[in-house]
Amino acid sequence: MHQRARRCLRVNQDFDSVRLSDRTWHIRKALCENSIKEQLKQPGEALESQNAILKDGRSSTVIRLPHGAVLKRYNFKKRLNYIKDFFRLSRGRRSFLNAYHLEIVGLPTARGLGTADVRKGTGA
């Protein structure tokens, strides 16, 4: 199941890579609507709007988007993680992969719409 779940990180009939503004989003084709894509073009603006914030913590920020979607941004935690992040997947990709793995196994979980990384030049 682990190997089957890793297919969500590749481009295939269910998943695709889409370039929106300065980020490359890896999205699930069936769930991504045009109105949500417009919000994903400027995630910074959505994160700065105070009326839609669900959680504003030290480790992550979560906001509500239209149509029931939720956007989660992971915040930088420790300097040691900066070095580790060169050799592993980002926190967003790991959580996207884990959610898809739980979905394949049949455990109820929130369906991940997509993930985007700002990191450049890493080994992962």
Side-chain angles (χ1 to χ4, degrees), residues 62-82:
V62 180
I63 63 164
R64 179 183 300 121
L65 295 177
H67 306 289
V70 175
L71 180 65
K72 184 173 188 175
R73 175 187 63 188
Y74 289 102
N75 300 328
F76 185 70
K77 288 178 77 172
K78 296 188 263 183
R79 284 185 267 189
L80 181 61
N81 287 351
Y82 181 76

Side-chain angles (χ1 to χ4, degrees), residues 8-12 14-29 32-33 36-47 61 63 65 69-74 90 92-93 95-96 112-119:
C8 74
L9 300 178
R10 294 189 290 273
V11 175
N12 54 45
D14 297 327
F15 301 94
D16 194 14
S17 292
V18 177
R19 182 85 176 159
L20 299 173
S21 68
D22 62 338
R23 291 179 172 88
T24 301
W25 288 83
H26 198 76
I27 61 167
R28 187 186 298 237
K29 290 180 187 178
C32 196
E33 301 171 358
I36 294 176
K37 281 185 184 178
E38 292 300 319
Q39 291 285 323
L40 297 180
K41 284 183 181 178
Q42 298 296 330
E45 291 178 7
L47 287 164
T61 303
I63 63 164
L65 295 177
V70 175
L71 180 65
K72 184 173 188 175
R73 175 187 63 188
Y74 289 102
S90 68
R93 283 198 184 233
S95 66
F96 185 67
L113 174 79
T115 180
D117 291 331
V118 183
R119 307 175 325 153

